[in-house]
Amino acid sequence: MDLTGVVGRGGGLISDAVETLATFDYLVAFDVGATFIEGSFTPATVDLLINGALVGSYTVSLAGSTSVTWQRFSYGFAGTGSPVSIGLLSGLSAQSNNRFVGLDNVVLTGSARQITAVPEPMSWSMLIAGFGLVGATMRHRRTAMLAPTA
């Protein structure tokens, strides 16, 4: 898809709202394409917006051997439990191509966040007390074994 079309930079907004879970991490991935125009390579920039705020600009700046050079980009974010609006548009940067900014293979994936358990204070005190009892028992046994016999 050409994001610039007839509107040039800053156009071609692709946006969608998705439900997120607070216990999930999400990754949005996409391909950006840049091309040769009139005998020279012009970089292409795509801006990524989350809930209307710019979170990153992604630029293909290396020329390839074909007419269109594609590069994969991704951005990760934590779910909030609320709908999140994800938007991709042709970058406003003056260095970006004004006539072709390609976008392809947009994918959103989510995975459950790994949560590590933190022991509660009562568990810590039982653990410390247990180590103390084991240490006291071992010390008492050592003393009893070293006592002289008659």
Side-chain angles (χ1 to χ4, degrees):
M1 167 184 301
D2 178 8
L3 286 177
T4 52
V6 295
V7 293
R9 290 185 195 95
L13 175 65
I14 303 296
S15 180
D16 204 356
V18 294
E19 286 290 331
T20 63
L21 299 172
T23 57
F24 272 57
D25 289 323
Y26 293 89
L27 184 73
V28 60
F30 49 92
D31 294 337
V32 177
T35 190
F36 282 89
I37 293 180
E38 297 174 359
S40 64
F41 179 81
T42 307
T45 301
V46 168
D47 291 339
L48 173 64
L49 300 112
I50 303 286
N51 290 332
L54 179 66
V55 295
S57 293
Y58 302 90
T59 302
V60 175
S61 57
L62 299 174
S65 59
T66 62
S67 59
V68 179
T69 299
W70 293 94
Q71 188 172 345
R72 187 102 176 132
F73 296 99
S74 63
Y75 177 80
F77 62 96
T80 62
S82 303
V84 171
S85 173
I86 301 171
L88 295 159
L89 71 137
S90 172
L92 293 170
S93 166
Q95 287 77 30
S96 181
N97 193 325
N98 196 28
R99 293 187 278 172
F100 177 81
V101 174
L103 179 67
D104 201 358
N105 299 322
V106 179
V107 177
L108 177 67
T109 56
S111 60
R113 189 174 301 130
Q114 297 296 324
I115 300 173
T116 55
V118 177
E120 294 185 22
M122 186 56 137
S123 300
W124 279 110
S125 36
M126 287 185 349
L127 180 68
I128 292 168
F131 280 137
L133 286 172
V134 168
T137 303
M138 290 177 69
R139 185 171 182 191
H140 178 68
R141 279 190 185 168
R142 189 176 332 132
T143 305
M145 290 175 61
L146 294 176
T149 55

